[in-house]
C-alpha cells in the first residue's frame, strides 16, 4: 500500500505516473533483496567448490598421488610450526592425529570382533541345538519308544528345556535351573532315563512300545545317505560337528 504525497492533486498525470513507477520499483527491490542475496551466496559457494575441486585435481591424478601431496603439505606445515617455535601446537596436532587413527583402528577391530563373536555364538547355538535334539531322539530310541505322529516337536521342546549343552565338556547335561539332575541310581540323568520319565509323565506323546530288534531312522538299521549322519552315530556326529553347524551335513 502506497502513501500518496500531500501535493498529489497538484501533480500532473505524467508526474503521478512516474511517482507510482518509482514506488513500485522500490517495493520490488525490497521484496527481492533476500532472494538476490541467497542467489549470490549459492553462486559464490558453487564457484568456491569448483575452484577447490580444480585445486585438488592439480595436486594429483589419482587418490594415492593426492594422499602423497597432502602428506607433503602436512610435513611443510609441521616444519613451519617448528621454525616458529610453536612446539606445543605441533605436539597437540600430532597427538590429535594419532588419537584419531587409533580410534579408527580400535573401532574397526571392535566391529570385527563383534562380528566374529556373533558368528561363533550362532555356530555354538546351532551345534548345541543339534546335539541336544539328536541326544533326545537317541534316548527315545534306546528306551524303545515311538513318538506319536505330530508330537515330535513337543517332545523336542520338552527335552531342550531340560538338557543344556556344556561347552567345556562338549556334552549335554540335564539341568533344573542351575542344579544338575540325576537318575534313581544317582548318576547324571541320561537321555534314555529322561525319555523313560517322560513316558510316565506324558504317555499321550507316545505310541505303543517298539518291538525288539526294530530299528528307526538313524538308529543303526542301515547305511545313511551321503551328506547325512545318523542320530545314534556319536562318532560320526562328533567328526562332522562343523559341517552339521554349517548345514552341509544333516542329522537323520
Amino acid at each position: 500500500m502506497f502513501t500518496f504525497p500531500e501535493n498529489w492533486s497538484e501533480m500532473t498525470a505524467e508526474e503521478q505516473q512516474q511517482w507510482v513507477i518509482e514506488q513500485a520499483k522500490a517495493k520490488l527491490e525490497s521484496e527481492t533483496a533476500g532472494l538476490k542475496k541467497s542467489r549470490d551466496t549459492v553462486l559464490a559457494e558453487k564457484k568456491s567448490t569448483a575452484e577447490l575441486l580444480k585445486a585438488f585435481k592439480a595436486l594429483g591424478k589419482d587418490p594415492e598421488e593426492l594422499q602423497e601431496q597432502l602428506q607433503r603439505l602436512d610435513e611443510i606445515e609441521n616444519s613451519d610450526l617448528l621454525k616458529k617455535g610453536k612446539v606445543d601446537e605441533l605436539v597437540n596436532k600430532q597427538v590429535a592425529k594419532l588419537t584419531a587413527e587409533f580410534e579408527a583402528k580400535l573401532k574397526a577391530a571392535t566391529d570385527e570382533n563383534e562380528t566374529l563373536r556373533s558368528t561363533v555364538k550362532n555356530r555354538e547355538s546351532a551345534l548345541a541345538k543339534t546335539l541336544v535334539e539328536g541326544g533326545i531322539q537317541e534316548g527315545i530310541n534306546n528306551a524303545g519308544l515311538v513318538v506319536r505322529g505330530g508330537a515330535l516337536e513337543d517332545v523336542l521342546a520338552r527335552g531342550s528345556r531340560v538338557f543344556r549343552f556344556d561347552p567345556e565338556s562338549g556334552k549335554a547335561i540335564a539341568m533344573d535351573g542351575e542344579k544338575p539332575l540325576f537318575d534313581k541310581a544317582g548318576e547324571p540323568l541320561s537321555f534314555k532315563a529322561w525319555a523313560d520319565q517322560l513316558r510316565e509323565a506324558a504317555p499321550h506323546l507316545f505310541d505303543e512300545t517298539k518291538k525288539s530288534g526294530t530299528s528307526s531312522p538313524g538308529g543303526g538299521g542301515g547305511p545313511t545317505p551321503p551328506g547325512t549322519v545318523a542320530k545314534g552315530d556319536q562318532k560320526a556326529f562328533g567328526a562332522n560337528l562343523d559341517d552339521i553347524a554349517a548345514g552341509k551335513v544333516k542329522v537323520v
Side-chain angles (χ1 to χ4, degrees), residues 113-171:
N113 287 338
E114 286 298 327
T115 301
L116 181 60
R117 186 179 294 108
S118 177
T119 301
V120 171
K121 184 177 180 180
N122 291 338
R123 197 171 191 180
E124 288 180 347
S125 297
L127 286 172
K129 183 175 185 294
T130 302
L131 179 63
V132 169
E133 292 186 351
I136 291 171
Q137 295 190 60
E138 182 184 7
I140 290 172
N141 290 335
N142 292 338
L145 302 175
V146 177
V147 177
R148 189 180 300 276
L152 180 60
E153 185 176 349
D154 189 3
V155 172
L156 293 176
R158 290 170 182 250
S160 297
R161 288 193 292 269
V162 174
F163 290 94
R164 183 184 308 171
F165 178 69
D166 179 24
E168 294 184 3
S169 65
K171 298 179 181 180

Side-chain angles (χ1 to χ4, degrees), residues 176-231:
D176 180 11
E178 297 301 319
K179 298 179 180 180
L181 295 176
F182 300 92
D183 59 19
K184 296 178 180 179
E187 297 293 330
L189 187 67
S190 65
F191 286 109
K192 179 181 179 300
W194 171 82
D196 287 332
Q197 292 180 2
L198 182 62
R199 175 180 53 184
E200 297 177 2
H204 63 282
L205 296 175
F206 302 97
D207 283 332
E208 61 181 20
T209 304
K210 289 165 51 178
K211 295 181 180 180
S212 177
T214 302
S215 62
S216 63
T224 57
T228 62
V229 171
K231 298 183 183 74

Side-chain angles (χ1 to χ4, degrees), residues 34-52:
L35 293 175
K36 289 181 179 179
K37 184 177 181 181
S38 297
R39 182 201 62 185
D40 293 341
T41 300
V42 171
L43 291 175
E45 291 179 351
K46 183 177 180 181
K47 181 179 179 182
S48 176
T49 302
E51 292 176 348
L52 184 59

Side-chain angles (χ1 to χ4, degrees), residues 15-70:
E15 290 175 337
Q16 290 178 350
Q17 184 179 12
Q18 184 62 31
W19 184 91
V20 171
I21 291 174
E22 291 177 353
Q23 295 299 313
K25 287 175 63 178
K27 183 174 181 60
L28 180 61
E29 290 180 358
S30 175
E31 292 178 349
T32 59
L35 293 175
K36 289 181 179 179
K37 184 177 181 181
S38 297
R39 182 201 62 185
D40 293 341
T41 300
V42 171
L43 291 175
E45 291 179 351
K46 183 177 180 181
K47 181 179 179 182
S48 176
T49 302
E51 292 176 348
L52 184 59
L53 289 173
K54 184 178 179 181
F56 273 131
K57 290 180 179 179
L59 287 175
K61 297 180 180 180
D62 52 52
E64 290 76 14
E65 188 174 349
L66 178 59
Q67 184 62 38
E68 291 178 1
Q69 295 286 350
L70 293 175

Side-chain angles (χ1 to χ4, degrees), residues 2-21:
F2 300 130
T3 302
F4 294 97
E6 294 180 358
N7 62 339
W8 176 260
S9 59
E10 300 175 359
M11 298 172 61
T12 64
E14 293 181 354
E15 290 175 337
Q16 290 178 350
Q17 184 179 12
Q18 184 62 31
W19 184 91
V20 171
I21 291 174

